[in-house]
């Protein structure tokens, strides 16, 4: 599988393809507009995990996932693998720890991709 990335441009639209070394631009052979349309916010450039949620939506780093008991988590890349840090409220988890980290591959097919941390940070508020 060829690596696939995305980043938000100045208009708030996702641009898909391969980033430059400094993550300021993303190029895709299917995009034929002016190079200005390829400029993205480097902080929003994230990689496709190769996995899909239960509705067949692509999952990228920075996506916010929700499971069947309405716990939410953010996808991140760490030590060569994609992880999701699930956030639980005190009604769901009975011990002192309110988060749990899972390998994304183990939870992707049973979660919903409900947004991302760049455009929907309010989804992570408890």
């Amino acid at each position: 599988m060829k690596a696939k990335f995305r980043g938000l441009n100045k208009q708030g639209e996702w641009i898909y393809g391969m980033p430059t070394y400094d993550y300021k631009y993303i190029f895709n052979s299917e995009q034929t507009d002016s190079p200005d349309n390829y400029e993205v916010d480097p902080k929003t450039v994230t990689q496709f995990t190769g996995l899909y949620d239960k509705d067949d939506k692509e999952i990228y780093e920075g996506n916010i996932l929700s499971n069947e008991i309405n716990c939410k988590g953010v996808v991140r890349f760490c030590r060569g693998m994609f992880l999701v840090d699930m956030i639980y409220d005190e009604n769901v988890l009975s011990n002192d720890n309110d988060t749990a980290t899972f390998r994304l591959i183990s939870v992707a097919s049973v979660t919903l991709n409900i947004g991302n941390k760049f455009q929907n940070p309010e989804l992570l508020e408890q």
Side-chain angles (χ1 to χ4, degrees):
M1 178 179 78
K2 183 178 173 185
K4 180 177 173 182
F5 293 79
R6 71 177 183 180
L8 284 171
N9 68 10
K10 293 178 184 177
Q11 294 77 33
E13 301 165 331
W14 289 110
I15 303 296
Y16 295 85
M18 287 299 294
T20 56
Y21 73 94
D22 57 4
Y23 293 110
K24 291 183 180 180
Y25 296 89
I26 291 184
F27 292 95
N28 184 326
S29 60
E30 296 175 12
Q31 295 167 319
T32 57
D33 299 24
S34 131
D36 292 339
N37 292 336
Y38 308 149
E39 187 174 357
V40 294
D41 178 351
K43 291 180 256 167
T44 67
V45 174
T46 57
Q47 186 174 3
F48 175 50
T49 65
L51 299 172
Y52 298 83
D53 74 356
K54 68 181 189 177
D55 288 341
D56 276 340
K57 287 173 57 178
E58 294 179 335
I59 299 175
Y60 285 80
E61 292 174 85
N63 278 152
I64 300 170
L65 306 180
S66 179
N67 66 13
E68 68 280 351
I69 55 174
N70 217 21
C71 296
K72 298 173 187 166
V74 179
V75 178
R76 65 184 172 97
F77 187 76
C78 180
R79 296 185 179 160
M81 69 182 96
F82 291 100
L83 304 172
V84 60
D85 297 319
M86 298 302 288
I87 303 165
Y88 298 91
D89 67 29
E90 63 274 359
N91 297 324
V92 175
L93 204 61
S94 60
N95 63 23
D96 293 335
N97 187 4
D98 61 352
T99 64
T101 300
F102 299 95
R103 284 190 65 189
L104 181 59
I105 197 164
S106 67
V107 296
S109 63
V110 296
T111 58
L112 283 174
N113 185 354
I114 60 172
N116 63 76
K117 68 180 185 179
F118 309 108
Q119 297 173 307
N120 316 102
E122 72 281 357
L123 292 174
L124 294 172
E125 297 173 6
Q126 289 288 341

